[in-house]
Structures are given as C-alpha cells and as structure tokens.
Amino acid sequence: MQRSREKMERDKTELHLSQFKRKLRVCVATCNRADYSKLAPIMFGIKAHSDEFELEVVVLGSHLIDDYGNTFRMIEQDDFGIDSKLHTIVRGEDEAAMVESVGLALVKLPDVLQRLRPDILIVHGDRFDALALATAAALMNIRILHLEGGEVSGTIDDSIRHAISKLAHYHACCTRMAEQHLIAMCEDHSRILLAGCPSYDKLLLTHHKDDYMDIIKSWLGDKVQDHDYIVALQHPVTTDIQHSIKIYGLMLDALLSFNKKTLILFPNIDAGSKEMVRVMRKKGIEQHPNFRAVKHIPFEQFIQLVCHAGCMIGNSSCGVREAGAFGTPVINLGTRQTGRETGENVLHVRDADTHNKIYHALELQFGKRYPCSKIYGDGSAVPRILKFLRSIDLDEPLQKTFCFPPVKESISQDIDHILETQSALAVDLGGTNLRVAIVCMRGKILKKYTENNPRTFEDRMDLILKMCKDAVQDAVSINCRILGVGVSTGGRVNPQEGVVLHSTKLIQEWSCVNLRTPISDALHLPVWVDNDGNCAALAEKKFGHGKGVENFVTVITGTGIGGGIIHHHELIHGSTFCAAELGHIMVSLEGPECSCGSRGCIEAYASGMALQREAKMLHDEDLLKVEGMDMKICEPITAAHLISAARMGNSKAAAVLHKASTALGVGIVNILHIVNPSLVVLSGVLGSFYQEPVQQVISQRALTSAQTIRVVTSHLEEPALLGAASMVLDYATRRTY
C-alpha cells in the first residue's frame, strides 16, 4: 500500500510538471511561392498540435512583390498569422541585386529574430534568401532545421544549399542519396532525418480530386481536354544567364510550333529573369491564343494542372520531383537540375542550337504516362518531422559537432531505419490462389496474404488492388517503407510495359492486360511485372543458390515446367519475351500432347499434370496401388501417389517416372549445350525428386565439357514471391526503371 501511494504521488507530480511544460517555439521562414508549398504542410502540422508547439511565421523575399503576385496572401488565406513581413528584395534581377538582397535581409533579420526568440528556425532549400536566414540564425545561436539539404542540382544553388547545411544544426532530407551526401559532408547522422518531401503529404492525398477539370478549364479555357495541354516553367541559371535565355527562347519556339494549349508561369526573381520575360513578350506569348501566361497559381490547383498535363517542360524542380508522383511526362531543359534523382518520366535536353531538338522531345513525351515514383517521399514526411522536432533536446550543447572520417560506410546503424527503407510488395498471381507479401531486403517475408483467385478479370483486378492497399497500410504498423511492387504471373509477359501478353490456361481472361498502370496509379509506387519462371530465377539470383553466380538456369518443376536463364548476371527475356520457355523444349517428335498444342515437350512428360495423368491411367487399370500403400477411396489421384507407388516397388510407376526424369534430363542437356550455364537449380515441388536422375542423365548424355555442371535443388520456400520482391529490391534501390 505504501508503494502504491508513492506511485500515485509520482504520477501526480509528473502530470503537474507536464501541464507546465513550455511549448517549443518553432519559427517557419518562407521566401517565395515554391518553398511555401514545402513548408505549408509542416505549418499545418505544427498548428494542429498547438498544445506542443508555438508557431511563428516570417515572410520575406518575393512573397511581398507585386510582380510576383503578392503571394504572402495565400499564407493569410491558409489562416496563418504572419508575425513579421520583411521587404528584402533589391530590384534589378541581376547578380548585384541578389547580393544586395542578401545584405538587406541580414540587416533586417536580427531585430525580428531577437523579438520572436524561436527555439527552432525552419528554413528550406537553396535560395539566397534562405542563406541570409540561416546566417542570421546561426550567428544569433538559434537552432536551425534545414529542409531538403544534401541534394545536387548542378548550379549555384548547390553551393547555397550546402552552405545552409553547414550552418544548420538539424536536417530533414528527402532521399537516401541526399542523406548519404550529408553524412559525407561530415554532418552528424543522428541529426539527419530521412523524411521525404513535405509537399508529397499533400499532393498524394489531393491530386485525384473530382473537380480537376474545373480547375484546368479555369486556367486554360473550356475547350481544353485532360492530358492535352502543357505546363511550362523555366527559371534562369545564375551561373550561365545567357545560356538560360537562349534555351528559354528555343523552348518558346518549340511550344509555338507544337501548337498545344500551354500554361506558362513567369520565371522566379533570380538574375536573368527580366531578360527571359523580355524574350517571352517579344514572341507575343501573352497575346497568343494557345498560351496562358501567369505569375502565380495556388499550390493545390497547380498539383491538379501538373498531374493531368500531357507534358511538363522547363527546369523547375517540380518537374524532376513532384511530377514523378503523378507519372506526368517531363522535359527538363538545360543544366539547372543536373544531378537530381529522377524517375523514368524525365527526358533531359541539356543543350540545343535550334528548337528542333526540343520539338522532338515534345513529340516523344507528350501524352505518355509513366509509373508513379516515390523517390522524393511517400506522403508521411510531416509526422516524421514533428516527431523529430519533439526529440530535440534544447539543453544539449548548441555547438555543432562534425563526424569524421567524411565518408561513412554504413548510412545508418538503426535497424528500424534500415527496415523502413528496404521493403517490397510482392504479388504472386497463381492459377488457384492470389498471394501478396511484404518482403524485406534480406528475403524474409514479414507478412503474407492469400485469397482464392477470382475467375473474372474485373474481380481479379479489384482483389489485387484491395490486397495491395491493405498490405501498404499494414507496412506502416511494422515499420516498413514499400519501395515498389513486383508481380509474378504465368504466361508471356512484356516486362518493359508491365503487360501480360498471353496467359496460361490456368488463368483465363488474362491476355493483353496492363498490370503496371492500375497498380501504380492506385498505390503511387513503381511496379515491375514478369513471368513466374523468370521471377524464380531472380529469386535464386538474390536469395538462393544463384547468388554471385554469373551464369545459371532455374527450372521450375511443378504443375507445369518453366524457368529462367541468368546470363552475365542479367535475366534473358528474348526478342518477343518468350526466352526460357524451358517446359516447351521438344525431346521427342511423337511424344504425348502438350498444353501448348505441340507434342513431345518436356512439360508433357515431367510436369505435375503429366505425372497426374499417368497416375490416373494406372489407377483406372488398377495398376497403381501396391501392398502397404494407403489410398483413401475419395482421394484424388496425384503425382504424389505415382512417386509413392514407385518407391514401394511398383514397376509400372517406376517406368513412368524413369521416362519423365529422362525427358527432363535430356531437355536440360539441350539447355546446357545452348547457353552453357555453370549451375542448374531445380525449383518447385518435384525438384528434389528429379535432382539425382537429372544429374545422371547429364553425366551420361552431355558433352564432356558439360558433364560436371552441378544440379541443385532450391531451398527457397516462396520463389515466386521472393522473385517478385527482388525486382523491386534490386531495381528500385539502383533507381533504374
């Protein structure tokens, strides 16, 4: 009782102290319309937790300039109180004006920061205004959280961004590569958060609004159609202004020739923008019926316009970042975004002497759709950032410490962090069952879902999407970030397009089906699709006997016979995507009929269905059962009964299996003589049974140089799921699509 009373007293004391805990004062400083789109979701998050945080807002830079739309008003419209407005821009739009603007901001900021006295200043990106903010705060001993540090774009912005990173005490970056760059820059990895881009939190939730056509028509007119217009946004490159102006003029010429409705935004306030506007007006863009030139568009509406555009062109970071989340085709012009991580939706035009090259790029990109990419975020950045802010200890020393040596081999020693960024969603589309699994980088299946495979196309597609969405939601609870989706399916598959060309007889109504697009659109993730035999080979390559082996063949011995060929560490698909149809290698001209319509194929002799057929024939003639063999009357006859009878001395069953093993062995000998692998992996339920007889056939019938090639049985329990996952885990982490 005494201990209980003491505990109650302690709980009351802790509750009393928590009620008087001071809120964390967080100052968010925004300089222009672009950085506000990244900062606004964080501001809303802070405002929603007013019991923990006190939000202070400072507005400066081009927000307060008439020519750029007085965009501070959208902050007020979002119901944020602005604590200070600083007019810091010196007009002139040249290099000297940028330097003077930084100086003016440094003169005005100390009074504001001294009055607000924030605990944390959040500053975004790579603008010269942001450099002034970080400099002032660092010199005034105010902790700085820098958003989107560590990225590389290839212009003066890099120098500014990295300078801000060196001044900042904490970092919230968007990509794994950016995190690695910060660590290589000697930043303390314990103060780096891989959060993703905050703007993705909003755009992934809102870009599929039902009223998007109203928004498009309000900006481009009633006659415009979905995916039949262009969004253009080009900014000057301050280290090469003349080249920027040249590329801008060529872009406008190409757009005029391309003759599509175009929404063009004015360039930002950097040096060179004045000259670019002169070029635009000289070409009559503002009066041209195909063009709508604007200075500012609210971010929510801009999301809709980019999402449903036929193409986006220019050098805005939005093209290489946010547009990827929609699969919108992008043409990136010039050098401003050189070094940025991009999805496959981005086509680069580094330089051009005439507008023809840009026009050709428009022909290639306009109207295409690409898989959704989550390189820059998964929609959960703000909760991570708020959690990060709560963890900041204001009592720890303010002085930064740098980590040496500058390159750290392991980017994280936190197992939760590793698991969160290295998971895949695997889908196995079988004839009977539809299976979905969450698979980590080490090949462990963390969670698996199984349902009966519906017979109709619509029901099957609906079930795939439902199971995938459920798995994505569950991944959050087990601390896994899904990098992408891999789909293993029977039949002939075009993996480049993610289309099932011809299905097997086991999966009806499943031909010329685009699996990639609906899954990618629903989950906002990149999607890979391949044949189940190829997936089995990929599973062995990453997790099984094929790990580190340059050339090997996987043969699936199950209901049918399939497989995959790895040559020089790469999967072979063939010119019409039917390479490695190993089950249809012919070993006899007059053999039994195969499911493909031919005769004498390996599958007609050695597959589970072939053995089941032979077992039924023996059973019907009362030649299958032997003494001591237990068979229930109602039990369906399978290949297992044939194998059991042979092992118990049934000569008829043994003869059938000998013929099947020989056929399979002869087929594999043919494979050895064609592709000359160093290893053969037998996968599937019959793999262990066939291993020894196949090895004997090879030693008897293969060329001397091929007789020593090993045959092994796969130890992987779920090769289809692991192979589907390996497509994601191999290619997504290499950023190769």
Side-chain angles (χ1 to χ4, degrees):
M1 289 177 66
Q2 179 66 26
R3 283 196 298 270
S4 177
R5 281 195 295 271
E6 289 174 355
K7 184 178 182 302
M8 290 175 63
E9 289 297 324
R10 282 199 305 272
D11 291 344
K12 288 180 181 179
T13 303
E14 289 174 3
L15 178 62
H16 181 73
L17 290 173
S18 66
Q19 290 173 344
F20 291 95
K21 185 179 179 181
R22 185 172 67 83
K23 297 179 184 179
L24 189 71
R25 287 196 299 272
V26 181
C27 179
V28 178
T30 173
C31 309
N32 54 58
R33 66 190 180 195
D35 77 9
Y36 180 66
S37 69
K38 315 292 178 65
L39 293 167
I42 301 174
M43 294 164 67
F44 280 113
I46 292 172
K47 189 175 181 180
H49 294 81
S50 58
D51 57 325
E52 299 175 87
F53 304 105
E54 182 180 334
L55 176 63
E56 301 168 337
V57 180
V58 174
V59 174
L60 65 159
S62 59
H63 270 309
L64 303 169
I65 297 179
D66 290 340
D67 288 352
Y68 291 86
N70 280 324
T71 50
F72 74 89
R73 293 196 181 98
M74 65 183 180
I75 302 172
E76 295 175 336
Q77 289 168 0
D78 285 339
D79 200 25
F80 291 116
I82 298 176
D83 296 274
S84 184
K85 296 177 185 175
L86 295 179
H87 293 270
T88 57
I89 297 299
V90 176
R91 300 307 300 271
E93 286 79 26
D94 58 14
E95 296 94 330
M98 291 168 64
V99 177
E100 291 170 356
S101 296
V102 172
L104 183 58
L106 285 171
V107 169
K108 293 186 174 184
L109 278 167
D111 287 341
V112 173
L113 295 177
Q114 202 163 31
R115 173 170 57 85
L116 297 177
R117 301 184 65 80
D119 297 313
I120 305 286
L121 173 70
I122 299 181
V123 60
H124 168 271
D126 50 23
R127 303 287 302 152
F128 58 85
D129 322 71
L131 179 60
L133 282 161
T135 303
L139 291 172
M140 296 181 69
N141 290 329
I142 296 171
R143 298 169 193 269
I144 303 165
L145 171 61
H146 183 208
L147 302 182
E148 299 187 8
E151 297 182 19
V152 177
S153 57
T155 66
I156 189 63
D157 294 348
D158 281 348
S159 299
I160 295 175
R161 184 188 307 109
H162 300 334
I164 296 171
S165 292
K166 302 317 294 179
L167 292 167
H169 304 84
Y170 307 95
H171 310 273
C173 57
C174 296
T175 70
R176 170 72 66 196
M177 189 178 294
E179 180 191 39
Q180 197 166 0
H181 289 163
L182 287 169
I183 293 170
M185 289 163 60
C186 310
E187 294 299 309
D188 184 350
H189 72 276
S190 68
R191 293 189 172 196
I192 301 171
L193 171 69
L194 178 56
C197 183
S199 65
Y200 272 52
D201 289 26
K202 198 167 190 177
L203 63 89
L204 289 178
L205 288 174
T206 63
H207 81 276
H208 275 308
K209 282 188 175 180
D210 294 334
D211 63 347
Y212 70 89
M213 280 307 302
D214 295 336
I215 294 170
I216 294 171
K217 289 178 179 180
S218 70
W219 289 98
L220 287 162
D222 291 336
K223 295 182 179 179
V224 72
Q225 298 297 317
D226 191 8
H227 303 313
D228 196 37
Y229 63 90
I230 297 170
V231 175
L233 180 53
Q234 179 90 352
H235 299 304
V237 178
T238 55
T239 50
D240 196 352
I241 293 172
Q242 292 308 311
H243 184 260
S244 297
I245 296 168
K246 181 190 99 171
I247 289 288
Y248 189 64
L250 295 176
M251 178 190 78
L252 296 178
D253 290 339
L255 289 170
L256 286 166
S257 301
F258 200 66
N259 197 31
K260 286 289 183 182
K261 278 285 187 183
T262 301
L263 180 70
I264 185 164
L265 280 81
F266 277 63
N268 64 22
I269 201 168
D270 286 352
S273 61
K274 192 189 310 182
E275 289 83 353
M276 291 173 70
V277 172
R278 286 198 192 103
V279 171
M280 181 173 69
R281 286 175 174 161
K282 187 176 180 180
K283 294 181 183 294
I285 296 299
E286 291 173 290
Q287 289 75 41
H288 196 284
N290 269 354
F291 286 80
R292 173 79 188 280
V294 298
K295 294 177 180 177
H296 168 65
I297 300 174
F299 182 67
E300 292 80 1
Q301 297 182 35
F302 188 62
I303 289 172
Q304 310 295 325
L305 291 162
V306 172
C307 174
H308 298 281
C311 181
M312 184 175 184
I313 187 169
N315 64 3
S316 168
S317 62
C318 176
V320 298
R321 294 166 64 97
E322 283 87 351
F326 313 135
T328 301
V330 172
I331 300 169
N332 181 55
L333 301 178
T335 60
R336 188 170 185 262
Q337 303 300 338
T338 299
R340 291 267 196 200
E341 298 171 77
T342 65
E344 63 177 304
N345 65 311
V346 179
L347 176 64
H348 296 279
V349 180
R350 306 295 186 194
D351 197 5
D353 294 322
T354 69
H355 77 277
N356 291 336
K357 188 185 288 187
I358 301 174
Y359 184 88
H360 184 57
L362 284 165
E363 288 183 316
L364 290 173
Q365 287 286 77
F366 186 80
K368 291 181 71 174
R369 304 310 293 177
Y370 289 90
C372 302
S373 168
K374 286 191 176 180
I375 293 174
Y376 287 95
D378 61 358
S380 301
V382 171
R384 294 188 184 106
I385 291 171
L386 294 181
K387 183 179 179 181
F388 191 56
L389 286 171
R390 293 185 189 101
S391 71
I392 292 175
D393 183 3
L394 298 179
D395 294 325
E396 68 179 1
L398 182 68
Q399 176 59 47
K400 284 186 66 171
T401 56
F402 298 99
C403 296
F404 297 96
V407 178
K408 192 173 175 65
E409 185 175 345
S410 174
I411 56 175
S412 176
Q413 299 301 324
D414 179 358
I415 189 62
D416 291 333
H417 188 56
I418 291 170
L419 287 173
E420 186 187 44
T421 57
Q422 294 181 342
S423 300
L425 204 61
V427 180
D428 176 28
L429 182 63
T432 305
N433 292 322
L434 177 61
R435 301 185 303 156
V436 174
I438 301 170
V439 183
C440 72
M441 184 62 79
R442 295 180 181 85
K444 181 181 178 181
I445 295 177
L446 303 176
K447 196 161 186 177
K448 185 166 66 173
Y449 313 78
T450 303
E451 297 284 351
N452 291 330
N453 200 346
R455 295 292 94 189
T456 66
F457 168 83
E458 292 81 6
D459 292 343
R460 188 178 301 127
M461 204 67 241
D462 289 344
L463 183 58
I464 290 173
L465 295 179
K466 179 183 180 302
M467 292 176 71
C468 286
K469 288 177 181 177
D470 290 345
V472 169
Q473 289 180 351
D474 291 346
V476 177
S477 64
I478 57 175
N479 204 28
C480 291
R481 178 182 292 182
I482 304 298
L483 294 174
V485 183
V487 182
S488 168
T489 180
R492 188 162 66 95
V493 177
N494 179 345
Q496 298 171 2
E497 302 293 335
V499 174
V500 181
L501 299 174
H502 299 296
S503 62
T504 64
K505 289 185 177 180
L506 296 176
I507 309 172
Q508 301 298 329
E509 298 183 17
W510 205 249
S511 294
C512 295
V513 173
N514 184 340
L515 285 178
R516 172 194 276 185
T517 300
I519 297 175
S520 180
D521 286 348
L523 303 181
H524 312 295
L525 288 168
V527 177
W528 289 266
V529 185
D530 213 331
N531 168 267
D532 51 7
N534 289 334
C535 286
L538 291 174
E540 293 296 334
K541 177 177 178 289
K542 187 166 183 66
F543 303 114
H545 292 297
K547 197 170 185 179
V549 180
E550 185 176 7
N551 302 293
F552 72 91
V553 172
T554 297
V555 181
I556 301 177
T557 56
T559 305
I561 301 289
I565 299 172
I566 301 294
H567 185 64
H568 294 318
H569 297 295
E570 295 295 335
L571 186 66
I572 294 178
H573 285 101
S575 60
T576 57
F577 313 109
C578 65
E581 286 289 353
L582 308 181
H584 301 293
I585 294 175
M586 295 178 65
V587 293
S588 170
L589 294 177
E590 300 297 332
E593 185 176 352
C594 181
S595 61
C596 69
S598 185
R599 286 186 174 274
C601 299
I602 297 176
E603 188 168 293
Y605 286 102
S607 68
M609 292 187 70
L611 297 182
Q612 183 182 37
R613 181 190 66 233
E614 295 294 328
K616 284 182 177 179
M617 290 173 60
L618 290 176
H619 178 70
D620 291 344
E621 296 174 11
D622 203 23
L623 298 175
L624 181 64
K625 191 173 180 181
V626 295
E627 187 176 347
M629 183 175 173
D630 183 25
M631 285 182 61
K632 297 177 182 177
I633 297 175
C634 61
E635 187 177 15
I637 304 302
T638 66
H641 293 113
L642 190 72
I643 295 171
S644 178
R647 285 173 175 168
M648 298 180 71
N650 187 318
S651 59
K652 298 286 186 182
V656 170
L657 291 174
H658 176 72
K659 190 175 183 179
S661 301
T662 303
L664 179 61
V666 170
I668 291 176
V669 167
N670 291 334
I671 298 169
L672 301 185
H673 292 168
I674 295 169
V675 297
N676 192 30
S678 60
L679 180 69
V680 176
V681 181
L682 296 181
S683 181
V685 293
L686 297 172
S688 59
F689 172 77
Y690 280 131
Q691 180 186 356
E692 186 177 340
V694 166
Q695 189 79 70
Q696 289 178 358
V697 173
I698 291 173
S699 64
Q700 296 165 1
R701 296 177 179 247
L703 293 173
T704 304
S705 57
Q707 287 179 0
T708 58
I709 292 173
R710 289 190 308 128
V711 178
V712 298
T713 304
S714 174
H715 61 71
L716 301 179
E717 293 184 5
E718 299 283 3
L721 287 173
L722 292 179
S726 71
M727 291 190 287
V728 178
L729 300 174
D730 277 349
Y731 295 119
T733 52
R734 284 193 292 176
R735 303 297 185 209
T736 302
Y737 301 103

